[in-house]
Amino acid sequence: MSALFDKTWARQAFALAVLLISWEVLGRAGLISPFYAPPPSAIALALYELFADGSIWQHLIATLSAALAGLAFGLLLGAVLGFGAAMVRPVADIIEPVMILLNAIPRVILAPLFIIWFGIGLGSKVAVSLVLVAVLIFFAVYSGIREVDARLVERVRTLGGGRMTLLREVYVPSVTAWILGNLKVAVGFAFTGAVVGEFVASSRGLGYLLSFAQSTYNAALTIALIVIIMGFVLILFGLAGRVERRLLHWRYA
């Protein structure tokens, strides 16, 4: 398995190297316009300049704070609403249509409204991330509870298990698996919400820098910022994967 893993990473690294070298050569030969697709060397220079003066860190911290806060509150709100809707039918009759409607529309279009409500500070970015994550987790929890095997529930009740036993021994393990299975998607949604909120209106953050790069037609800076965002998301994906494997070790075993 380790040999296969090493070979896979080697092939991926080789393919990436070929792509970057070809891109650089074609760009220097004038076959690719640097205005639209600047060569990797120009993107690397833009990355260096972002980190050289240290100003990038305040923008990284702003985006990361909004994304992680939105992720945490979205996980909590989605789980609570999902549990309530799955366990109490009248609650489901009220909440489920709202969640279906929010899921049907591009939720990032709510960003301008949140900025009107909460201003251009951290609150509006957290709100956008929260909504994106909460809708996803709601359906994960709601579906996780509703798809629990009814025979298993009956057996627990037959053995004298009450509502708390069902929650602890049946519903919570099932819901945990569904939440962790969607955790990587939730991380991506949280970052999307934070960056989109900053892009619409903000005084700092990676989305603010992206808006500046767009307004100045700086493709190298734009791609450099995209690379930074992708790097942070991949790091969080890795952490989420470790949490999933640790808490769901029985599934991987």
Side-chain angles (χ1 to χ4, degrees), residues 16-226:
L16 179 60
V18 170
L19 173 63
L20 292 177
I21 293 172
S22 301
W23 184 359
E24 182 74 25
V25 171
L26 292 173
R28 290 183 177 275
L31 298 177
I32 298 178
S33 172
F35 180 81
Y36 298 106
S41 59
I43 298 169
L45 178 61
L47 282 169
Y48 171 77
E49 291 175 347
L50 283 171
F51 286 95
D53 61 359
S55 61
I56 186 65
W57 294 110
Q58 64 171 328
H59 299 289
L60 284 172
I61 292 172
T63 300
L64 193 61
S65 300
L68 292 181
L71 177 65
F73 290 124
L75 287 171
L76 179 61
L77 180 62
V80 170
L81 294 178
F83 259 112
M87 302 302 294
V88 182
R89 187 63 203 176
V91 174
D93 293 337
I94 297 173
I95 296 178
E96 187 178 9
V98 176
M99 290 299 180
I100 291 174
L101 180 62
L102 286 175
N103 192 49
I105 64 173
R107 294 184 292 284
V108 293
I109 65 174
L110 298 174
L113 183 61
F114 289 144
I115 289 170
I116 293 173
W117 289 349
F118 304 113
I120 64 172
L122 181 65
S124 57
K125 290 38 172 200
V126 173
V128 179
S129 295
L130 185 152
V131 170
L132 289 172
V133 174
V135 173
L136 172 70
I137 299 302
F138 168 82
F139 284 109
V141 173
Y142 188 56
S143 301
I145 293 178
R146 295 191 65 180
E147 294 190 13
V148 169
D149 192 343
R151 293 172 297 180
L152 178 60
V153 175
E154 287 301 322
R155 287 169 185 166
V156 172
R157 287 175 174 168
T158 301
L159 294 173
R163 196 177 189 86
M164 291 305 299
T165 303
L166 281 171
L167 284 173
R168 185 177 62 254
E169 303 296 338
V170 178
Y171 293 131
V172 169
S174 175
V175 165
T176 300
W178 279 76
I179 291 177
L180 292 176
N182 287 276
L183 187 57
K184 291 182 180 179
V185 181
V187 167
F189 277 12
F191 251 89
T192 298
V195 172
V196 167
E198 292 167 350
F199 190 88
V200 173
S202 183
S203 59
R204 58 179 179 172
L206 297 179
Y208 164 77
L209 291 180
L210 277 171
S211 178
F212 171 78
Q214 179 200 39
S215 65
T216 56
Y217 294 93
N218 192 333
L221 178 59
T222 300
I223 298 175
L225 291 168
I226 292 172

